[in-house]
Amino acid sequence: MDTSIKKVVLAYSGGLDTSIIIPWLKENFNNCEVIAVSGNVGQGTELDGLEEKAIKTGASKLYIEDLKKDFVENYIFPTLKAGAKYEGDYLLGTSFARPVIAKRIVEIAKAEGADAICHGCTGKGNDQVRFELTIKAFAPEMKIIAPWRIWDIKSREEEIEYAEAHNIPLKINRETNYSKDKNLWHLSHEGLDLEDPANEPQYNKEGFLEMGVSPEKAPDKPAYVKISFEKGIPVAIDGEKLGAVEIVEKLNELGGKNGIGLADLVENRLVGMKSRGVYETPGGTILYRAHQVLETITLDRDTQHYKELIAAKFAELVYYGQWFTPLREALSAFVDKTQENVTGDVTLKLYKGNMINAGVTSPYSLYSEEIATFDKDDVYDQTDSQGFINLFGLPVKVKAMIEQKKNQK
């Protein structure tokens, strides 16, 4: 027992892990004071009754910090502008929610004069890295307590038993105990039958999906949506100017109704293992598609192709918890430069899980109908292509000629 720890700030969600951590901390750190902090990044009803629960289980106070605007403007939108998807599919919903929460927790811990920060991340997951790298970035001297790495509890079943023994109320039970993470951007599902990749997710099972419906249950009539961007940032839907949070919320509702944004992934965790998760990201999936479509007419070829390369690295940095690093900041500076002319409107047709392009315009469009036309034009001299091909293909031709000479000997 570390007797120097008298006050601990706990990253508190009110879920199974953090609910039992409060009494565990008091039992194992000489009845230390525990201050709970919940970052509101769009969990919705999960925050209901949280203060009463935290105090009842032993916390001295609970901070509930509204971080939604900060989350969307300073973490989601920079990642969207980069077009970053981890391993090509994961839209990083959990990944970039952690640094925004951890940064605020550090600020509160400093203001409260805390001796340590505690989190409920498991020793097998990515979140422990994301939380702790952020803490190290802003409070390198701060002690970190990670119960999952030191306590005797080895499973969620044992967690439930501990909670029941300490009269801690839970919203879950043994039969429906999916591990979920919800915020404004997405909802993830892990565990139970999903641990076997051979099992199809039960999309049509009552209560499984929370942000929308399966494609089979979506309307038979398509829905159209027009998204307006300014320098890569979405600013309006169907001509109506909206704030960042409202844009995500509105597209979540529209996408959810039309079965958009379901992803079933086996991903490579930073800690070395593979894990299977099912993700709901309705509004985010729409935004990524619309942004990508707008870039097809506003970015030149070389910038567009190079940006695709750095998008993969950007996604890795976010996934690995390296948000507050020089490289991520440098890549964001590059991305911001590429977005100077990514302004315009994109219309998508949403139909039973599909997003179909239905028109794109921009005052900075590089697309020229005059040049692209198959009809006669006075801009593009097709005879110029012969000399270009001769020079472009010269290495291929020389190699072939040398090979022919070798074969004739």
Side-chain angles (χ1 to χ4, degrees), residues 74 78 314 317-318 322-333:
N74 297 318
F314 195 106
L317 293 173
V318 177
Q322 295 173 297
W323 186 270
F324 298 107
T325 60
L327 179 55
R328 199 284 304 166
E329 292 171 1
L331 292 182
S332 281

Side-chain angles (χ1 to χ4, degrees), residues 208-245:
F208 181 79
L209 296 179
E210 297 181 27
M211 296 183 73
V213 299
S214 67
E216 295 95 326
K217 293 185 176 181
D220 294 330
K221 182 180 178 181
Y224 286 85
V225 61
K226 183 175 76 172
I227 303 169
S228 302
F229 291 84
E230 291 180 5
K231 295 187 176 181
I233 296 173
V235 294
I237 297 175
D238 295 327
E240 180 186 3
K241 289 271 188 179
L242 296 170
V245 173

Side-chain angles (χ1 to χ4, degrees), residues 99 102 127-139 144 270 317 320-325:
D127 280 343
Q128 59 183 333
V129 182
R130 297 163 184 156
F131 268 107
E132 294 186 29
L133 289 192
T134 301
I135 294 168
K136 291 178 187 300
F138 292 98
I144 299 172
L270 172 60
L317 293 173
Y320 296 166
Q322 295 173 297
W323 186 270
F324 298 107
T325 60

Side-chain angles (χ1 to χ4, degrees), residues 367-378:
Y367 180 85
S368 169
E369 187 175 350
E370 184 180 13
I371 295 176
T373 180
F374 283 98
D375 295 332
K376 184 179 181 300
D377 66 85
D378 298 320

Side-chain angles (χ1 to χ4, degrees), residues 178-290:
Y178 282 110
S179 177
K180 297 186 179 184
D181 178 74
K182 184 178 183 180
N183 59 44
L184 184 67
W185 188 247
H186 90 157
L187 173 65
S188 65
H189 310 254
E190 294 179 338
L192 298 180
D193 56 306
L194 297 178
E195 290 189 347
D196 184 351
N199 293 329
E200 180 182 1
Q202 301 301 303
Y203 292 130
N204 290 313
K205 183 178 179 180
E206 187 69 30
F208 181 79
L209 296 179
E210 297 181 27
M211 296 183 73
V213 299
S214 67
E216 295 95 326
K217 293 185 176 181
D220 294 330
K221 182 180 178 181
Y224 286 85
V225 61
K226 183 175 76 172
I227 303 169
S228 302
F229 291 84
E230 291 180 5
K231 295 187 176 181
I233 296 173
V235 294
I237 297 175
D238 295 327
E240 180 186 3
K241 289 271 188 179
L242 296 170
V245 173
E246 289 72 29
I247 282 176
V248 176
E249 289 175 337
K250 188 162 185 175
L251 291 177
N252 275 340
E253 181 181 358
L254 183 62
K257 285 180 181 178
N258 288 279
I260 304 295
L262 300 179
D264 176 8
L265 311 175
V266 174
E267 68 202 51
N268 289 295
R269 285 184 177 174
L270 172 60
V271 294
M273 69 186 70
K274 291 183 182 288
S275 67
R276 196 267 188 103
V278 170
Y279 299 96
E280 301 178 56
T281 322
T285 302
I286 293 171
L287 284 173
Y288 263 73
R289 177 61 171 270

Side-chain angles (χ1 to χ4, degrees), residues 81-97:
K81 288 192 293 184
K85 302 177 184 179
Y86 184 66
E87 297 186 336
D89 287 304
Y90 176 41
L91 299 188
L92 300 161
T94 299
S95 307
F96 49 30

Side-chain angles (χ1 to χ4, degrees), residues 87-189:
E87 297 186 336
D89 287 304
Y90 176 41
L91 299 188
L92 300 161
T94 299
S95 307
F96 49 30
R98 297 312 184 225
V100 64
I101 295 171
K103 182 173 182 286
R104 184 60 185 138
I105 287 172
V106 169
E107 292 168 352
I108 291 173
K110 286 183 174 182
E112 287 282 354
D115 304 304
I117 292 174
C118 179
H119 64 75
C121 309
T122 73
K124 288 184 175 181
N126 302 304
D127 280 343
Q128 59 183 333
V129 182
R130 297 163 184 156
F131 268 107
E132 294 186 29
L133 289 192
T134 301
I135 294 168
K136 291 178 187 300
F138 292 98
E141 75 293 341
M142 185 71 69
K143 292 180 181 178
I144 299 172
I145 302 173
W148 268 105
R149 301 204 292 256
I150 57 177
W151 64 15
D152 295 328
I153 296 171
K154 301 301 180 187
S155 67
R156 291 179 70 80
E157 184 72 21
E158 291 182 12
E159 282 188 288
I160 294 173
E161 291 173 1
Y162 184 96
E164 291 172 346
H166 289 74
N167 298 314
I168 297 171
L170 300 174
K171 294 181 180 179
I172 61 174
N173 59 53
R174 288 173 171 79
E175 288 72 39
T176 61
N177 189 17
Y178 282 110
S179 177
K180 297 186 179 184
D181 178 74
K182 184 178 183 180
N183 59 44
L184 184 67
W185 188 247
H186 90 157
L187 173 65
S188 65
H189 310 254

